[in-house]
Amino acid sequence: MENFVNDQTAERPAKPAPRPTPQLADYPHRVAEIIRFGDLDPQGHVNQAVFLTYFESGRVAMFRDPDLGIGVPGVTFVMVRMEVDYMKELHWPGGLEIGTGIAEFGRSSFKAAQAIFHDGVCAARGRATLVCMDLKTRKATPLPEAAIDRLSKWKIRGA
């Protein structure tokens, strides 16, 4: 084995096992969306930034669902991280389904898992981290038990 100046080997670490492809049935909340002509970029497919708007539509529809009601006096939820795996191109015209569910809870945050489907095929998967923020101090605060109880009903299958 050849060594470099810093005595590290040239071997690359093994790739992690691929994650299973999301299935729409795994997501407890779903919303329909359309692909708009204005969503396209010069390559003729949906621009990668627009996928974030689709994910936002899915989260907002779930969080505004009257059955969820995660509103808690004195706090709000802010997104601090968004991860996206782009898997397929999307083209106009067309319809989409965005699946959303809760993946996990932290001390003051939770993660929403999402996927975008076109004709039943997953085009992208995403994971949003949302932090509970005190409206007066504007700092992170522990998730209220009432919010955890309500969000738990929307756990993604397999999470």
Side-chain angles (χ1 to χ4, degrees), residues 36-50 89-90:
R36 294 167 293 279
F37 182 77
D39 295 345
L40 305 181
D41 63 17
Q43 285 78 33
H45 58 219
V46 172
N47 183 279
Q48 77 274 4
V50 176
E89 288 183 298
L90 292 172

Side-chain angles (χ1 to χ4, degrees), residues 25-71:
D26 295 338
Y27 297 87
H29 191 274
R30 297 169 200 132
V31 65
E33 182 68 87
I34 62 165
I35 299 171
R36 294 167 293 279
F37 182 77
D39 295 345
L40 305 181
D41 63 17
Q43 285 78 33
H45 58 219
V46 172
N47 183 279
Q48 77 274 4
V50 176
F51 282 66
L52 298 173
T53 302
Y54 298 153
F55 284 133
E56 179 184 48
S57 293
R59 284 191 313 277
V60 169
M62 188 176 101
F63 295 148
R64 299 292 182 219
D65 187 307
D67 293 335
L68 180 57
I70 64 167

